[in-house]
Structures are given as C-alpha cells and as structure tokens.
C-alpha cells in the first residue's frame, strides 16, 4: 500500500511475531538501550493466540525462576498504563486453587511453602474459607484451598498493545502485514530475514512467531518443537448479582478454571486428552481465527463445572470459544539462543501461560541477547534441552495430546509421560523389560527407573507407577536395589549417558580452555570437571577420558548433549583443529557397582582389576567374556565399581555373560531411582538441579575439581578463571550443604524451604530417600556471610519445611556416607 512505511534494509535486531512475546522482547530490548529494532507481524498485532487468551495472572509457578518471571510480569502490567496510556485490564482479586483429594491437598501445601519462600503471599485455607472467598462454590467434597491474594486477570490483547506502545516509545519500528518468508544465514551465523517486502540484514533475529514458531525455525535450519492444540472455553450470559471481585478459581482435578468477565463467568478447560490442530499446516489467511465448536468434547468439563458452581445450571451460554495455542513436548516454553544458529533467539511455545510469563520472559531474553548469555538460571526453559527428534511432527502430535492436560494434572514426583514413548531404546531394552523394568523417559531414552521383583511379577503385579506424594509403590523395591549396591553388587543400564568424542591435534588445548580442571593427562586417565561461564557458574558437569594423544571422550548427562555441543562450538576458537561428535548411540554403558563388583568382574576378564593395576579414575580396554570393552573405574553411587562401555553390537553378549556370572552372587538389576538415592547419600551434585549456570563452582563445593593454577592452553586461561579467583578473594556468600531429616518418615523432592536458626536461608535443590542412612536426604544452598567459617555454618540449627511443617535436619559439608571415599577406591 502506498502509505505503508518502508522497511529498513538493515537493523540491529529483527523480531518475528507481534503477539505478547514479541512485543515484550521489543519493549525490553528498547529499555536496555537498543536501537534499530524492527518487529514484523504477518497480519495484525495479537492476531494469533494472544487476542483470545484467558489472561490469567497466576504467579505460583512450579519453579523459582518461572515464579520470579511471573511476579515481574504482574508488576509490569500494573505499571504499563501510566507509562504508555494503554490499560492492561489488570485486576488483582486473587486466585483460589481447590484440592478435592488428599493428594492434591498435599501438593498445594508443598506449593504454598515453595511460593512463600520466593516472596509470594499464599494461604492454605479451609473449605468454609474457600466459600467466603468464592460464595458460589460447592464445597461439599473439598479438602482445602490455596489463596494467593495478588494474583488476578488481565486483558491479554491490551497487555500486548501496551508493550507495543512502550516499544514504539523506545524507538522500535513495528510493521504489520509483513510476512517473513526466509532467514538469511552465513554458516553458523544469522544475517537477517527475507520478507514479503524485501530483505532486512540484521545482527540478531528473534523467533516469537507463536503458532508459526516451528515453521520459522525450519526456515533457519533450527528445530523448534511445538504444536498447536485446540483450547476451549465458554462464556455465560450475564448473571444477575454476580460479584465483580471474585478471584480466579482453579479446580484442577476437574480440569477447569473460572474467571468473572464483565458480569459473566468464563469457564475454560485443560482436558486430559487434547485435540492437536493444523497438523498439516496453518491456513495462510488465519488471523483472529476461531475454530469449530466441539460441544461433545467439552461436555464432561461442563458437567463437573455445574456441580462445582451450581449457578451455571441456569446460566445461558453466550459464547462457545475454541482457539489454538501452542504446546511443547514437556509443557515448558522454549527460550534462548538456538544451538544450530548463532544470534538466532526464540521465545515461543508457552503452553497456555503466555500472558503471565511474557513480561518476565521478554525481559530475561532481552538481557540474554544483550549480555550474550543467560542472565540467571533459565535451564528449565532453555531450547537446548530439546532433542532433535522432538521436532518430528508425528511425535509432536502424539505428545501434545498429553501435555495440554498435564498442565492441570497432579504434579506428582517421578511422574512419567505416557505418550510418544519407546522412541530411543538401549540395545538392552528388551532384556531389562524381561527383568521387570518399569521404564521412565528422559531425552527420549527409555531407562529402567526401578525393577519389579520376580515374585511380584509371578503374583501378577504390573511394573507400573502408583503415584503419590508419600512413599510410592516402588519404594521397597528400590530399597532392595539400593542395599544391593551398598552391600553386594548391582548393575545399571546407562546407555543414555551423553557421549561426545572430541578429536584432533588441538583437542587438548580446546578442552584446557573450556574445562576448569586439568585434562592434560596421560591416555587412560579420567578427569572430573566443570565447564564454567565468565561468572564462575556451572554450564556443564562431566568426566573427560583421554583415549589417546588426540582423542577424548566427554560423558555428560543425557539431557545436556545438545547444550554441551553448542557450548563447545561457541567456545572452540576459529581455526582450531578439533572436531566434536555426538557418539551417544554408538556404545552401551553397563555400570557394575558394589563392594563385590571386582569379585564378579574377575570371573569374566583376565585383566588385573587391583588398585595397583587399575586405579580409580582410569580407563582400560579389556577382554570381557568374548568381547572387548572399555572399562572406566568411576562411580556416581559412591561404591567400588566399573562402567563397561561396549559397542552396541556386543552389548547383548556382554550383558548375558555378566548376568549368568552374577546369578550366584545375587547380582541385582537397579534403576535410575537408586542411582539417585545413592548419589544423594554421597552428596554428588546433579546438573540442572544442584548446579546450574547461576551457581558458582566454589559455592557448590566443587573447588577440588578446579585447577586455577594449571598452565594456560594456547588459547588462554580457562573460561571462568577470573571469577574463581575473585570469589576466593571475596569469600563465599552461600554454601551447598547436604541434609538428612531427623524424622525418617517425610519425603524430600525439591524446593522445600530451608531454615537456619529459624530464618529462611535457602531451599532444597534435589532430594531422595537415603535407604542406607535411613531418612530423606537433600542438597540445598544456604546463605552465609562472606568469610563465615564452615564451623559457624554447621553450628546452626536447621529445619526443612515439608508441606507446611518444619522438620529438624542435620547438615553437613562432607558426604554423610563414606566421607573419605574409601569404598570407591577400595
């Protein structure tokens, strides 16, 4: 059109998508002083999902980071009208979450403890108090409720338009009716976009395309696993006398939420099995679109809603709405720099919490773009947690049918996805199934989490979870596995370990630049190390095995392979003669652990397994049965043992020989839950829970794995060295402690508040039951004064809050199990 403003030929940043996410990123980049920002919207602002969102502002999120972002969003939406003159419609009348079952009541008690710890007011209230807050409510079957007074609701379109106005005031150019048709790139670097009105060269491109996020990703060669689903709500006709100050009501066990809307009630649903939409592509003309009604699909929700709010029985329905929203394979949004393309960022896949999340998420991503790295720990929403296969359309369609409903399902510990399973399997999968394995799934890998004993299988019991907030049905089975590791011998199938091979004349120098520990060791040595960022935070936690003069094997968590390959690529100097390759699927890994491990393995190999011939933290290729394996003497459970690395073609033979030889010794198959419970007794850290990019390596208690005085590589000192030296000089401001509850009954999982001498001092980052030590164990950071001695920290009285009750706990800086590590090195 003649009056359309011309598109610039160049920009510092191009943002694709004019929904609430794109508008928030633009607004916050402008606040950081960025100029030459262009936001492109294919049709009109808010026309995809934002315009029809319910606009619920629920700040009580399951992780501290997501709660922090939601709380910022709420405060921002309060302030935007004064700044921009655009009302956001924010009403803070609170939110009320209902617990109908005792299990949900336990979940809400735990959630209340967690959100209060992070600065959000929350109250557990009785059924009668619930009715006082919401007079229309049927409370006959309620256990309790949780009330958050500062929650509320906002007008979603106006929130986005206020952010857009604020962005324009900051100099952002917003162009509607401009479709992005391609992404310009030069090898690993983004260079701009191709649009329906020409090219724009840019330093940075941000994919905030919402429903179209996957397709925009494909243009760039970037995998963005999300899929749209139909999302339903109804709006009643006006109800006479309906209070205008009702809190948002969530009856999650009935899959429903309710909000007062201009004298009417909006009832929305997150049904257990969702309906994926536009599987074959979104129509070209889609904007402000409404999908066909499906009364039959919504009927079960409405039936329960009429019982919960009897007033609905006589209220007419004015609107039956069905609109699309995008969902991801794990129910968490996608954010950060794409691992495939430098300076190509994304923020999309909100899983129906886009309005409450976008204010904070937009700010966080703007700071990430500006600073070149995470501004704080955003691991749980980092795009790099996703695996390449998860962008497969058939997989996405199958998975999102479940993830939509899981938003309101019970968030039990250890809960497993049921859909899109069996995609990645170990060569030993069928053998583990025959032994009674109950499988869990991580990064697509099927992994035995626990084993149903033979006698239980003979009695007809299934190897299936019965979820609970207490001791689940596998608790005693796991205890037997745990004790086999501590007193006898057991094995794991850990084929899912991430394995990265880096090779070349400069491989050592590259790793010396990236690793905090010294990996300039002889072939056959294993080095435990971290990769640090410039602030001393932990980007990865791994072992490095030197295979030869020019080849190394990096063993990393299965969930971090994509992130670690990206970190390697970003930090390998130009021209370095070193190549990194994901070799995870090439080798099966069978850890054999326990005080009788040497005795068992000696039956199958002529190799000398003594301490003198095969020391701890070394690897050797050995004959094993009729195969060759590479045995790594290392342990994540704190016992004598070896990890057997064997090529996929020989894995079945090696396992069969091991199982036959171990029969007389009581060899026990063990699952991942026992790997976790054993590592908790040893206070071994878990990447993503106990150690993250925001956690300084010294405060995490991992200074022993940092060699600040090692010789620099030809590429300079290791990343984070200056931060390590600075922290040594300034002193620690927090410490990672191990805790054991005084009461053997309660369970620890994560995010339980820690009290030091009666004052909130931190929270549990990970927990599990210590079967050998006889109580729940946890790790958690505790605030301390810089320079405060270990004795002073441990001299305090500690309590852990579990579901609202404070329980005494013993704290330690050394592992409570085998603190001298004598058993691993026996």
């Amino acid at each position: 059109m003649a009056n359309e403003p011309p598109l610039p030929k160049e920009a510092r940043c191009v943002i694709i998508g004019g929904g609430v996410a794109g508008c928030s990123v633009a607004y916050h980049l402008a606040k950081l002083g960025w100029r030459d920002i262009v936001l492109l919207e294919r049709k009109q602002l808010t026309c995809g999902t934002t315009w029809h969102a319910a606009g619920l502002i629920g700040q009580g999120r399951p992780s501290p980071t997501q709660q922090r972002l939601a709380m910022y969003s709420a405060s921002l939406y309060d302030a935007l009208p004064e700044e921009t003159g655009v009302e956001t419609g924010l009403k803070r009348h609170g939110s009320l979450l209902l617990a109908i079952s005792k299990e949900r009541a336990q979940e809400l008690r735990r959630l209340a403890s967690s959100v209060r710890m992070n600065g959000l007011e929350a109250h557990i209230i009785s059924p009668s108090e619930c009715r006082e807050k919401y007079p229309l409510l049927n409370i006959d079957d309620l256990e309790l409720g949780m009330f958050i007074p500062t929650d509320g609701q906002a007008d979603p379109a106006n929130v986005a338009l206020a952010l857009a106005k604020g962005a324009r005031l900051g100099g952002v150019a917003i162009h509607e009716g401009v479709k992005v048709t391609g992404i310009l790139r030069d090898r690993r670097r983004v260079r701009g976009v191709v649009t329906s009105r020409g090219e724009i060269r840019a330093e940075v491109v941000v994919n905030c395309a919402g429903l179209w996020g996957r397709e925009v990703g494909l243009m760039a060669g970037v995998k963005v696993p999300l899929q749209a689903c139909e999302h339903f709500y109804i709006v009643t006709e006006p109800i006479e006398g309906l209070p205008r100050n009702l809190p948002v009501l969530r009856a999650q066990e009935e899959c429903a939420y309710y909000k007062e809307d201009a004298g009417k009630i909006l009832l929305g649903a997150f049904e257990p099995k969702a309906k994926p939409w536009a599987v074959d592509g979104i129509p070209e003309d889609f904007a402000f679109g409404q999908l066909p009604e499906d009364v039959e699909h919504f009927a079960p929700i409405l039936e329960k809603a009429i019982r919960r709010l009897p007033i609905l029985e006589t209220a007419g329905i004015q609107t039956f709405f069905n609109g699309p929203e995008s969902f991801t394979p794990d129910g968490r949004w996608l954010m950060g720099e794409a691992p495939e393309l430098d300076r190509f960022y994304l923020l999309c896949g909100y899983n129906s919490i886009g309005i409450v999340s976008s204010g904070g998420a937009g700010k966080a991503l703007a700071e990430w773009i500006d600073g070149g790295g995470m501004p704080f720990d955003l691991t749980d929403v980092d795009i790099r947690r996703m695996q390449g296969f998860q962008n497969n359309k058939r997989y996405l369609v199958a998975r999102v049918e479940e993830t939509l409903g899981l938003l309101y399902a019970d968030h039990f510990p250890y809960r497993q996805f049921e859909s899109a399973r069996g995609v990645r399997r170990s060569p030993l999968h069928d053998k583990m199934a025959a032994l009674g394995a109950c499988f869990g799934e991580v990064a697509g890998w099927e992994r035995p989490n626990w084993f149903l004993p033979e006698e239980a299988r003979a009695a007809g019991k299934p190897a299936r979870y019965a979820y609970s907030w207490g001791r689940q049905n596998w608790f005693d089975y796991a205890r037997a596995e745990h004790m086999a590791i501590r007193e006898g011998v057991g094995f794991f199938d850990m084929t899912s370990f991430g394995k990265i091979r880096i090779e070349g004349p400069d491989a050592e120098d590259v790793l010396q630049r990236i690793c905090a520990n010294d990996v300039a060791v002889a072939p056959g040595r294993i080095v435990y190390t971290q990769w640090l960022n410039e602030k001393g935070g932990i980007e990865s936690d791994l072992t490095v095995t030197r295979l030869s003069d020019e080849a190394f094997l990096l063993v990393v968590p299965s969930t971090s392979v994509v992130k670690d390959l990206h970190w390697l690529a970003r930090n390998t100097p130009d021209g370095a003669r070193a190549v990194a390759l994901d070799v995870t699927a090439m080798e099966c890994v069978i850890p054999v652990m326990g005080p009788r491990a040497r005795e068992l393995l000696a039956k199958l190999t002529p190799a000398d397994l003594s301490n003198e011939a095969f020391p701890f933290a070394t690897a050797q290729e050995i004959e094993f049965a009729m195969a060759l394996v590479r045995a790594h003497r290392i342990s994540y459970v704190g016992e004598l043992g070896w990890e057997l690395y064997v090529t996929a073609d020989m894995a079945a033979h090696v396992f069969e020989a091991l199982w036959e030889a171990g029969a007389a010794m009581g060899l026990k198959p063990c699952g991942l839950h026992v790997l976790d419970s054993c590592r908790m007794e040893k206070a071994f850290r878990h990447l993503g829970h106990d150690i993250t990019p925001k956690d300084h390596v010294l405060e995490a208690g991992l200074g022993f794995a940092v060699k600040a005085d090692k010789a620099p590589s030809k590429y300079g000192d290791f990343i984070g060295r200056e931060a390590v030296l600075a922290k040594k000089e300034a002193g620690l401001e927090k410490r990672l402690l191990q805790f054991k509850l005084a009461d053997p009954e309660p369970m620890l999982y994560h995010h339980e508040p820690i009290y030091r001498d009666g004052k909130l001092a931190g929270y549990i980052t990970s927990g599990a039951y210590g079967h050998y030590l006889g109580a729940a164990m946890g790790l958690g950071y505790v605030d301390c004064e810089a320079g405060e001695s270990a004795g002073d920290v441990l001299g305090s009285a500690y309590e852990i809050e579990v579901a609202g009750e404070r329980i005494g706990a013993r704290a330690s800086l050394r592992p409570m199990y085998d603190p001298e590590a004598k058993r691993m090195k026996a």
Side-chain angles (χ1 to χ4, degrees):
M1 297 180 186
N3 60 349
E4 287 180 343
L7 289 185
K9 299 296 184 183
E10 294 184 355
R12 187 177 183 190
C13 175
V14 171
I15 299 167
I16 305 169
V20 67
C23 292
S24 182
V25 173
Y27 171 88
H28 286 98
L29 278 174
K31 288 292 184 182
L32 290 173
W34 278 49
R35 297 296 177 261
D36 299 322
I37 302 169
V38 176
L39 185 150
L40 303 176
E41 166 52 48
R42 60 185 292 276
K43 297 290 186 181
Q44 292 175 256
L45 295 182
T46 81
C47 73
T49 293
T50 299
W51 74 277
H52 65 73
L56 307 185
I57 307 297
Q59 302 164 91
R61 310 313 308 167
S63 80
T65 296
Q66 291 189 35
Q67 181 179 323
R68 171 182 175 181
L69 299 181
M71 292 174 69
Y72 170 81
S73 294
S75 64
L76 174 65
Y77 304 162
D78 261 335
L80 280 173
E82 183 176 350
E83 177 186 350
T84 67
V86 179
E87 292 295 329
T88 60
L90 181 62
K91 297 189 295 184
R92 293 202 189 218
H93 295 153
S95 68
L96 177 60
L97 284 73
L98 305 181
I100 300 169
S101 68
K102 294 187 182 300
E103 290 287 3
R104 181 70 72 159
Q106 173 80 341
E107 179 178 335
L108 290 188
R109 289 190 183 98
R110 286 177 173 267
L111 181 60
S113 293
S114 175
V115 302
R116 286 194 294 257
M117 169 188 68
N118 295 306
L120 185 64
E121 184 181 351
H123 305 278
I124 296 296
I125 61 177
S126 69
S128 61
E129 290 172 312
C130 289
R131 187 150 58 189
E132 290 175 12
K133 300 288 185 187
Y134 209 101
L136 308 176
L137 191 62
N138 175 3
I139 63 170
D140 289 351
D141 55 352
L142 292 191
E143 286 285 327
L144 51 81
M146 184 176 79
F147 183 67
I148 300 178
T150 59
D151 278 356
Q153 60 194 68
D155 182 316
N158 272 21
V159 166
L161 294 175
L163 288 165
K165 177 72 175 295
R168 287 190 177 102
L169 293 173
V172 176
I174 297 178
H175 295 266
E176 297 178 283
V178 179
K179 182 180 178 181
V180 172
T181 59
I183 305 296
L184 301 173
R185 58 182 294 169
D186 179 11
R187 302 177 69 182
R188 279 193 55 89
R189 182 68 184 257
V190 75
R191 294 301 183 191
V193 299
V194 181
T195 82
S196 54
R197 291 174 52 197
E199 291 185 0
I200 304 176
R201 308 291 291 187
E203 299 174 20
V204 173
V205 175
V206 188
N207 177 2
C208 296
L211 300 171
W212 296 267
R214 181 175 180 272
E215 285 62 40
V216 170
L218 291 174
M219 294 178 194
V222 170
K223 298 175 181 66
V224 185
L226 57 79
Q227 168 63 42
C229 286
E230 300 181 28
H231 179 55
F232 302 87
Y233 61 74
I234 63 169
V235 181
T236 70
E237 293 176 345
I239 297 174
E240 186 176 353
L242 185 70
R244 298 300 182 95
N245 62 345
L246 289 174
V248 171
L249 178 68
R250 294 181 178 87
Q252 294 171 314
E253 290 164 281
E254 297 170 343
C255 310
Y257 63 86
Y258 308 77
K259 74 167 187 174
E260 183 276 328
D261 183 20
K264 312 163 195 173
I265 290 178
L266 183 151
L267 162 64
F270 292 100
E271 63 278 19
K273 186 172 182 179
K275 295 180 64 178
W277 174 73
V279 172
D280 297 322
I282 301 172
E284 177 61 30
D285 61 350
F286 187 83
F288 298 108
Q290 184 169 345
L291 308 181
E293 297 179 3
D294 190 340
V295 176
E296 184 178 349
H297 187 77
F298 194 79
I301 309 297
L302 183 57
E303 183 180 342
K304 293 178 181 177
I306 289 172
R307 184 179 181 280
R308 185 61 52 205
L309 262 62
I311 198 171
L312 293 177
E313 189 167 12
T314 56
I317 296 177
Q318 184 179 82
T319 303
F320 190 117
F321 187 83
N322 179 10
E325 298 190 1
S326 55
F327 291 81
T328 65
D330 61 2
R332 289 176 275 142
W333 73 74
L334 307 173
M335 179 178 187
E337 186 175 24
E340 302 96 332
L341 187 60
D342 292 347
R343 306 298 277 168
F344 183 86
Y345 293 85
L346 61 154
L347 178 58
C348 47
Y350 269 130
N351 303 276
S352 280
I353 56 170
I355 304 303
V356 70
S357 302
S358 276
K363 180 176 188 291
L365 185 62
E367 292 173 355
W368 193 334
I369 294 168
D370 186 55
M374 287 186 190
F376 44 86
D377 179 31
L378 292 161
T379 304
D380 60 344
V381 292
D382 186 347
I383 180 63
R384 294 174 296 176
R385 74 188 185 275
M386 289 294 163
Q387 310 299 304
F389 82 90
Q390 292 177 301
N391 208 40
N392 176 287
K393 177 63 78 167
R394 181 176 293 186
Y395 169 88
L396 282 169
V397 169
R399 175 54 65 84
V400 299
E401 285 185 354
E402 180 183 11
T403 53
L404 180 147
L406 288 177
L407 191 68
Y408 272 15
D410 290 279
H411 300 97
F412 288 120
Y414 309 111
R415 181 158 190 159
Q416 303 295 320
F417 290 107
E418 296 179 1
S419 60
R421 293 289 298 270
V423 181
R424 303 177 82 182
R425 282 177 270 185
S426 158
L428 302 179
H429 179 273
D430 290 347
K431 295 184 181 298
M432 297 301 101
L435 291 175
C438 180
F439 292 96
E441 180 257 329
V442 170
W445 282 101
E446 296 293 324
R447 311 195 302 183
N449 277 350
W450 53 275
F451 286 84
L452 187 69
E454 185 176 1
E455 58 273 19
R457 302 199 304 274
K461 290 187 177 181
R464 187 180 306 133
Y465 281 93
Y467 295 116
S468 167
W469 283 96
R471 299 183 178 189
Q472 296 185 9
N473 61 319
W474 49 266
F475 184 87
D476 289 335
Y477 307 144
R479 182 183 186 280
E481 297 171 24
H482 187 110
M483 297 309 291
I485 296 294
R486 291 287 183 246
E487 297 175 347
V489 62
F491 76 89
F492 303 86
D493 179 4
M494 288 306 302
T495 300
S496 61
F497 274 162
K499 310 171 198 74
I500 299 170
R501 186 180 177 105
I502 180 167
E503 189 166 357
D506 294 330
E508 179 186 301
D509 281 297
V510 169
L511 288 175
Q512 285 289 74
R513 166 70 176 153
I514 297 174
C515 296
N517 209 339
D518 189 353
V519 298
V521 295
R525 288 283 307 280
I526 302 173
V527 178
Y528 173 57
T529 188
Q530 286 76 44
W531 291 351
L532 307 181
N533 53 42
E534 295 289 357
K535 297 179 181 179
I538 299 166
E539 296 288 341
S540 191
D541 182 70
L542 66 156
T543 59
V544 177
T545 301
R546 187 160 202 161
L547 303 175
S548 67
D549 286 346
E550 294 190 357
F552 297 80
L553 181 73
L554 318 180
V555 179
V556 304
S558 56
T559 54
S560 70
V561 174
V562 173
K563 179 176 183 288
D564 290 338
L565 284 169
H566 181 235
W567 189 260
L568 267 173
R570 286 288 302 272
N571 292 289
T572 296
D574 291 340
R577 297 168 299 165
V579 176
L581 182 66
D582 178 7
V583 296
T584 299
M586 292 175 62
E587 291 185 313
C588 184
V589 184
I590 309 172
V592 181
M593 298 287 154
R596 300 187 70 186
R598 181 181 283 117
E599 178 186 351
L600 170 57
L601 296 180
K603 295 182 177 184
L604 295 162
T605 180
D608 185 347
L609 302 179
S610 67
N611 278 323
E612 295 74 24
F614 206 142
F616 183 75
T618 63
Q620 298 179 25
E621 184 177 82
I622 63 174
E623 294 181 11
F624 192 89
M626 293 186 229
L628 292 175
V629 308
R630 193 178 62 256
H632 292 215
R633 190 172 171 198
I634 200 75
S635 174
Y636 194 50
V637 297
E639 298 292 343
L640 173 69
W642 282 260
E643 294 171 357
L644 306 180
Y645 287 71
V646 54
T647 55
D649 58 322
M650 294 185 178
H653 166 67
V654 166
F655 169 73
E656 289 161 359
L658 180 71
W659 185 244
E660 182 180 354
M665 298 175 59
L667 177 64
K668 193 85 169 172
C670 300
L672 270 292
H673 292 336
V674 164
L675 193 80
D676 197 45
S677 61
C678 286
R679 73 99 183 166
M680 285 300 307
E681 290 186 330
K682 275 293 292 176
F684 287 155
R685 281 63 169 150
H686 185 288
L687 183 68
H689 288 92
D690 311 310
I691 47 179
T692 73
K694 76 176 177 64
D695 299 314
H696 195 284
V697 66
L698 298 187
E699 293 178 334
L702 295 172
F704 67 90
V706 177
K707 297 296 183 286
D709 58 351
K710 72 176 182 178
S713 81
K714 69 180 184 181
Y715 302 116
D717 289 322
F718 68 85
I719 301 167
R721 180 176 182 272
E722 293 303 316
V724 169
L725 297 177
K727 180 63 70 174
K728 282 184 177 180
E729 179 70 22
L732 307 183
E733 296 177 358
K734 61 180 182 177
R735 286 178 178 267
L736 185 63
L737 302 183
Q738 183 187 34
F739 296 94
K740 176 188 173 186
L741 293 185
D743 184 343
E745 290 303 312
M747 304 291 287
L748 293 178
Y749 301 115
H750 56 80
H751 298 155
E752 292 90 352
I754 300 169
Y755 288 86
R756 179 184 180 187
D757 294 329
K759 296 181 180 179
L760 182 65
Y763 63 90
I764 295 295
T765 51
S766 66
Y769 201 87
H771 296 282
Y772 187 89
L773 296 179
M777 313 291 297
L779 292 172
Y781 290 92
V782 168
D783 296 333
C784 59
E785 298 292 333
E788 188 174 7
S789 72
D792 287 340
V793 172
L794 296 178
S796 298
Y798 288 96
E799 297 171 302
I800 313 294
E801 184 176 326
V802 181
E805 179 184 355
R806 295 190 193 179
I807 299 163
R810 174 191 165 197
S812 179
L813 281 164
R814 303 182 71 206
M816 294 185 194
Y817 180 80
D818 188 25
E820 304 291 338
K822 293 179 179 178
R823 296 177 69 91
M824 285 196 303
K825 301 175 182 178

